Structure formats: structure tokens, C-alpha cells
Amino acid sequence: MSTIIYPSPIFGPVHSRRLGISLGINLMPADGKVCTFDCIYCECGFNSDYRPHLPRPTREEVSSALEKQLQKMVAERQLPDVLTFAGNGEPTAHPHFAEIIDDTVALRNKYCPDAKVSVLSNATMISRENVREALMKVDNNIQKLDTVDINYIRRVDRPTQPSYSVESVVEHLKSFGGHVIIQTMFMKGEYEGVSVDNTGAEYVDAWLQTVKDIVPEKVMIYTIDRETPAHGLKKATHEELDGICQRVKEAGIDCSASY
């Protein structure tokens, strides 16, 4: 399987389907994956297959590497559209995530003030007040919500925390007061003989009602784009994504679909 393990703490720039020219910030070790989800569709593979031996980068290492790369991009006149926290796991799980956000915003303001700061998160750490406060400081607070069906979440997203509660996650998503972008993976196929199709009304209706309750500034829906660690998964069709996207827009919420 072609698994992607990103360099750390800085990688790219890369072209993001949803965000443009993106300079990646990876707060996880460079030699493996550390995540509070173990999604069956993750391009970085299963957690158990890529246990890291290196530590997470420190706050100082992140700041130094980011400044060096931004200086290089300024000199080359190739500024990023976005600075994106992503990589080999959940960025908000870094013990100094809040401080790193402050450093990143300051460096963005100094070197590329037109760039957006984005965080791609699975929403498992937003119960922490300092994490929520930090996320309020970024331009694109992108939080995952693939469904509100806990059985589907445990089968597909596979949270590593036994205490995971989708109801709690939704309440904390509401607490952003609209300063949040909901990102949802829609797909089809099977995993271990059980359907993982979340494109039908059984899943979409409840998910859409929850999205309306959260009142996000935008919804980003997408489907599988790269090889997955689990076999038997299939892309949602353009028509299925377009149909879901249209329902979100009819609810008065901006929505984009990536195929």
C-alpha cells in the first residue's frame, strides 16, 4: 500500500484540493503516525502499522522551521495561500498546540499577511478550553464530522479514546459560535463485510440536521482520493456529493464538494 508519512515539522508547499497552495505544518513525529482516530480511509495508514520512534517536534522547532521556510518562500516570491496544520495525526493533541498557534499567527503576519491559517482536526480534543481558544484565532477552523451515528464512527473513524462521545463533540462544535468549518468524508463500499456507505438518507438526514444546529460558516464534503489502508472502500459519485452539497446550500450554509 502506498502510505503517506509526512516530514515534520514543515512539509510542502503542496496543492490542496480545498485550500490552494498550502504549506503544511506537521506536529507529529516525522517517522510515524500518532492520532486519536484510526480511520480506515486514512492516507497515513493504520496507527498500529506506523508507530513512531521519534518525539513530536517542540514548539521552538516548529517556529524555527516555519520561519526559515517562510523566509525562503518570500525570497522566491512564492507565498502560500494557507498555512495548514495537518500531517501524521491529530495536530490539536500536541501539548503546546495553543502556543504554536500563537507563534504561527505571528509569523504569518510578519511574512505572508494574506495567507490563511488552517487547522485540519478530527474534533476529538475540542473539549479542552485552551484548544478551543486557539482554534478561534485561526482563519479556517476545520473540524471533522463524518456522521452522527456512533456505530458508524466506531466502525470507520475508530476513535482511540473509550470516552469518545459524538454528542459532546457536537456541543463543542456549537460553542464556536459559527467560527467552524465542518469537513465530512462520504464514501461507499464495505469493511470487514459491513457496509460503510454513508451517502444515503439514513446517515445524511441526521448529519444535515446536526450541521444546521451547529451553523458552521462552511461545509466541505469530499470522498476518497488516495489509496486506503482498508480494502473494499469506494468513492462516492459526483452525483451523490452534488446532491448532498445542494441540500446543505438549501439550508443556507455554504458548501463545497471535492471529488
Side-chain angles (χ1 to χ4, degrees):
M1 192 197 79
S2 179
T3 300
I4 300 174
I5 297 296
Y6 291 94
S8 178
I10 305 300
F11 64 93
V14 299
H15 186 270
S16 165
R17 288 188 292 168
R18 296 176 290 280
L19 302 173
I21 301 301
S22 171
L23 182 63
I25 304 172
N26 178 18
L27 301 186
M28 297 300 114
D31 65 337
K33 181 187 174 192
V34 180
C35 196
T36 51
F37 270 3
D38 194 15
C39 298
I40 63 174
Y41 57 77
C42 181
E43 64 185 22
C44 297
F46 291 132
N47 292 348
S48 59
D49 292 336
Y50 298 94
R51 299 291 187 193
H53 300 284
L54 297 173
R56 292 183 174 102
T58 65
R59 172 187 180 181
E60 293 73 22
E61 287 170 340
V62 175
S63 178
S64 176
L66 177 58
E67 183 163 29
K68 182 178 180 181
Q69 180 63 29
L70 288 177
Q71 289 173 338
K72 179 174 182 288
M73 295 180 78
V74 168
E76 295 173 349
R77 297 183 180 179
Q78 185 194 24
L79 296 180
D81 296 312
V82 61
L83 308 177
T84 306
F85 286 83
N88 311 333
E90 176 52 38
T92 63
H94 192 289
H96 296 290
F97 173 74
E99 295 89 344
I100 290 170
I101 287 294
D102 287 339
D103 296 341
T104 300
V105 170
L107 289 171
R108 182 276 307 272
N109 293 345
K110 180 177 180 180
Y111 292 104
C112 51
D114 292 333
K116 305 293 186 183
V117 177
S118 298
V119 176
L120 299 178
S121 171
N122 62 24
T124 54
M125 308 301 286
I126 59 173
S127 60
R128 298 183 176 181
E129 184 177 0
N130 67 330
V131 169
R132 293 197 307 276
E133 290 176 350
L135 290 168
M136 290 297 292
K137 300 175 183 178
V138 307
D139 300 285
N140 298 317
N141 171 25
I142 304 172
Q143 300 291 324
K144 173 176 289 298
L145 186 68
D146 286 342
T147 178
V148 293
D149 184 299
I150 189 59
N151 292 323
Y152 186 94
I153 291 170
R154 295 203 182 281
R155 185 164 66 247
V156 173
D157 296 325
R158 307 198 305 175
T160 61
Q161 304 154 309
S163 62
Y164 177 88
S165 164
V166 67
E167 292 82 8
S168 174
V169 166
V170 169
E171 288 305 308
H172 284 110
L173 289 172
K174 292 178 184 177
S175 75
F176 287 115
H179 183 61
V180 62
I181 296 170
I182 299 299
Q183 183 187 67
T184 302
M185 163 70 81
F186 286 102
M187 64 179 181
K188 305 174 78 170
E190 294 184 349
Y191 177 61
E192 295 182 338
V194 180
S195 172
V196 295
D197 186 343
N198 64 336
T199 63
E202 174 188 0
Y203 292 103
V204 175
D205 289 355
W207 168 85
L208 180 57
Q209 183 56 57
T210 301
V211 168
K212 292 177 185 178
D213 293 341
I214 295 168
V215 198
E217 59 190 76
K218 185 173 183 178
V219 173
M220 295 177 170
I221 65 174
Y222 67 123
T223 193
I224 296 166
D225 184 48
R226 298 185 176 98
E227 191 173 356
T228 61
H231 302 294
L233 309 184
K234 299 179 181 179
K235 293 171 71 77
T237 67
H238 286 212
E239 293 76 16
E240 286 164 336
L241 290 182
D242 287 342
I244 295 167
C245 190
Q246 183 59 35
R247 291 187 63 185
V248 176
K249 290 179 178 178
E250 289 172 354
I253 301 169
D254 187 21
C255 185
S256 65
S258 298
Y259 311 105

